[in-house]
Coordinates of all heavy atoms in Angstrom, one line a residue:
E1 N 55.4 73.4 72.9 CA 56.1 74.0 74.1 C 57.5 74.6 73.8 O 57.9 75.5 74.5 CB 56.3 72.8 75.2 CG 55.0 72.3 75.7 CD 54.3 73.2 76.7 OE1 54.8 74.3 76.9 OE2 53.2 73.0 77.1
V2 N 58.1 74.2 72.8 CA 59.4 74.6 72.5 C 59.5 75.4 71.2 O 59.9 76.6 71.2 CB 60.5 73.4 72.4 CG1 61.9 73.9 72.0 CG2 60.5 72.6 73.7
M3 N 59.2 74.9 70.1 CA 59.3 75.6 68.8 C 58.4 76.8 68.6 O 58.7 77.7 68.1 CB 59.2 74.6 67.6 CG 60.1 73.4 67.7 SD 61.9 73.9 67.8 CE 62.2 74.5 66.1
E4 N 57.1 76.7 69.2 CA 56.2 77.8 69.1 C 56.2 78.6 70.4 O 55.3 79.5 70.4 CB 54.8 77.2 68.8 CG 54.8 76.4 67.4 CD 53.5 75.8 67.1 OE1 52.5 76.1 67.9 OE2 53.4 74.9 66.2
S5 N 57.0 78.4 71.3 CA 57.1 79.2 72.5 C 57.4 80.7 72.2 O 58.2 81.0 71.4 CB 58.1 78.7 73.5 OG 58.2 79.5 74.7
D6 N 56.6 81.6 73.0 CA 56.9 83.0 72.8 C 57.9 83.4 73.7 O 58.4 84.6 73.8 CB 55.6 83.8 73.0 CG 54.9 83.5 74.4 OD1 55.4 82.5 75.0 OD2 54.0 84.3 74.8
K7 N 58.5 82.5 74.5 CA 59.6 82.8 75.5 C 60.8 82.0 75.1 O 60.6 80.8 74.5 CB 59.2 82.4 76.9 CG 58.0 83.2 77.5 CD 57.7 82.6 78.8 CE 56.5 83.3 79.5 NZ 56.2 82.8 80.8
P8 N 62.0 82.4 75.4 CA 63.1 81.5 75.2 C 63.0 80.2 76.1 O 62.4 80.3 77.2 CB 64.3 82.3 75.8 CG 63.8 83.7 75.8 CD 62.4 83.7 76.0
V9 N 63.4 79.1 75.6 CA 63.3 77.8 76.3 C 64.7 77.3 76.6 O 65.5 77.2 75.7 CB 62.5 76.8 75.3 CG1 62.4 75.5 76.1 CG2 61.2 77.3 74.9
L10 N 64.9 76.9 77.9 CA 66.0 76.3 78.3 C 65.7 74.8 78.4 O 64.8 74.4 79.1 CB 66.4 76.8 79.7 CG 67.6 76.0 80.4 CD1 68.9 76.1 79.6 CD2 67.8 76.4 81.9
L11 N 66.4 74.0 77.6 CA 66.1 72.5 77.6 C 67.3 71.8 78.3 O 68.5 72.1 78.0 CB 66.0 72.0 76.1 CG 64.7 72.3 75.4 CD1 64.8 71.6 74.0 CD2 63.6 71.6 76.2
D12 N 67.0 70.8 79.1 CA 67.9 70.0 79.8 C 67.7 68.6 79.2 O 66.7 67.9 79.5 CB 67.7 70.0 81.3 CG 68.6 69.1 82.1 OD1 69.6 68.6 81.5 OD2 68.2 68.7 83.2
F13 N 68.7 68.1 78.4 CA 68.6 66.7 78.0 C 69.3 65.9 79.0 O 70.5 66.1 79.3 CB 69.3 66.6 76.7 CG 68.6 67.2 75.5 CD1 68.7 68.6 75.2 CD2 67.8 66.4 74.7 CE1 68.0 69.1 74.1 CE2 67.0 67.1 73.6 CZ 67.2 68.4 73.4
W14 N 68.7 64.9 79.6 CA 69.2 64.1 80.8 C 68.7 62.8 80.7 O 67.9 62.3 79.9 CB 68.7 64.9 82.0 CG 67.2 64.7 82.2 CD1 66.2 65.3 81.5 CD2 66.5 63.7 83.1 NE1 65.0 64.8 82.0 CE2 65.2 63.8 82.9 CE3 67.0 62.8 84.0 CZ2 64.2 63.1 83.6 CZ3 66.1 62.0 84.7 CH2 64.7 62.2 84.5
A15 N 69.2 61.9 81.8 CA 68.7 60.6 82.0 C 68.8 60.2 83.4 O 69.7 60.8 84.1 CB 69.5 59.6 81.2
P16 N 67.9 59.5 84.0 CA 67.9 59.2 85.4 C 69.2 58.6 85.9 O 69.5 58.7 87.1 CB 66.7 58.3 85.6 CG 66.1 58.0 84.3 CD 66.8 58.8 83.3
W17 N 69.9 57.8 85.1 CA 71.1 57.1 85.5 C 72.3 57.9 85.5 O 73.4 57.5 85.9 CB 71.3 55.8 84.7 CG 71.1 56.1 83.3 CD1 70.1 56.0 82.4 CD2 72.2 56.7 82.4 NE1 70.3 56.3 81.1 CE2 71.6 56.7 81.1 CE3 73.5 57.0 82.5 CZ2 72.3 57.3 80.0 CZ3 74.2 57.5 81.5 CH2 73.6 57.6 80.2
C18 N 72.2 59.1 85.0 CA 73.4 60.0 84.7 C 73.7 60.8 85.9 O 72.9 61.7 86.4 CB 73.0 60.8 83.6 SG 74.1 62.3 83.3
G19 N 74.9 60.6 86.6 CA 75.3 61.3 87.8 C 75.4 62.9 87.6 O 74.8 63.6 88.3
P20 N 76.1 63.3 86.6 CA 76.1 64.8 86.4 C 74.8 65.3 86.1 O 74.5 66.5 86.5 CB 77.1 64.9 85.1 CG 77.9 63.6 85.2 CD 77.0 62.6 85.7
C21 N 73.9 64.6 85.5 CA 72.5 65.1 85.2 C 71.8 65.4 86.6 O 71.2 66.4 86.7 CB 71.6 64.1 84.5 SG 72.3 63.7 82.8
R22 N 72.0 64.5 87.6 CA 71.4 64.7 88.9 C 71.9 65.9 89.6 O 71.2 66.5 90.4 CB 71.6 63.4 89.7 CG 70.8 62.3 89.2 CD 70.6 61.1 90.3 NE 72.0 60.6 90.6 CZ 72.4 59.5 89.9 NH1 71.8 58.9 88.9 NH2 73.6 59.0 90.3
Q23 N 73.2 66.3 89.3 CA 73.7 67.6 89.8 C 73.1 68.8 89.2 O 72.9 69.8 89.9 CB 75.2 67.7 89.5 CG 76.0 66.6 90.2 CD 77.5 66.7 89.9 OE1 77.9 66.9 88.6 NE2 78.4 66.6 90.8
V24 N 72.7 68.7 87.9 CA 72.1 69.9 87.2 C 70.6 70.0 87.5 O 70.1 71.2 87.5 CB 72.4 69.7 85.7 CG1 71.5 70.7 84.9 CG2 73.8 69.8 85.4
V25 N 69.9 68.9 87.8 CA 68.4 69.0 87.9 C 68.0 70.0 89.0 O 67.1 70.8 88.6 CB 67.8 67.6 88.3 CG1 66.4 67.7 88.8 CG2 67.9 66.7 87.1
P26 N 68.6 70.1 90.2 CA 68.1 71.1 91.1 C 68.3 72.6 90.6 O 67.5 73.5 90.9 CB 68.9 70.9 92.4 CG 69.6 69.6 92.2 CD 69.6 69.2 90.8
L27 N 69.4 72.8 89.8 CA 69.7 74.1 89.3 C 68.7 74.5 88.3 O 68.1 75.6 88.2 CB 71.1 74.1 88.7 CG 72.3 73.8 89.6 CD1 73.6 73.8 88.9 CD2 72.3 74.7 90.8

């Protein structure tokens, strides 16, 4: 999905307990 993708990949490293992560998820 990532290394062999023919498209650029935007990866979001997150965790469910992380407040700022929850702000980024909808975006």
Side-chain angles (χ1 to χ4, degrees):
E1 295 289 355
V2 178
M3 300 308 282
E4 297 175 13
S5 176
D6 57 348
K7 298 177 180 181
V9 181
L10 172 65
L11 281 182
D12 175 19
F13 289 85
W14 70 286
W17 47 263
C18 165
C21 297
R22 289 195 297 268
Q23 293 176 317
V24 171
V25 166
L27 303 176

